[in-house]
Amino acid sequence: LEVTQDSWHTPGKLYECDIILIKHERLEYELMNRYKYSYDEAHRITERKYNYSKAVNLNGKNRPDKVDRWYC
């Protein structure tokens, strides 16, 4: 799990999209390590259930650091 400024926000404060990221990474890990999926296949499957990109809206419009309260 790579933690970047876009991934984590105020220290000690979790947003719903943070939980989605954690679940996304965990499922991806399980698919690759337990079931031997490639990263691309695991990511494609995981995005259907935990779509972090959509939750954060990477175009910046709804980024958590730009709003007072964030719901994914």
Side-chain angles (χ1 to χ4, degrees), residues 15 22 24 26 32-33 36-37 46 48 54 67-68:
Y15 295 91
I22 293 165
H24 174 105
R26 179 63 184 170
M32 290 187 302
N33 289 285
K36 308 303 181 201
Y37 282 97
T46 301
R48 284 188 264 160
K54 183 178 178 183
V67 295
D68 292 332

Side-chain angles (χ1 to χ4, degrees), residues 2-48:
E2 179 182 338
V3 178
T4 66
Q5 189 171 13
D6 289 336
S7 300
W8 300 100
H9 322 291
T10 306
K13 188 173 188 177
L14 282 177
Y15 295 91
E16 187 175 342
C17 53
D18 296 324
I19 303 303
I20 290 171
L21 174 62
I22 293 165
K23 289 179 178 182
H24 174 105
E25 294 299 326
R26 179 63 184 170
L27 179 56
E28 218 169 50
Y29 174 87
E30 285 293 321
L31 291 172
M32 290 187 302
N33 289 285
R34 181 178 284 188
Y35 301 105
K36 308 303 181 201
Y37 282 97
S38 68
Y39 167 78
D40 289 335
E41 184 67 11
H43 183 75
R44 188 181 65 74
I45 293 167
T46 301
E47 279 287 292
R48 284 188 264 160

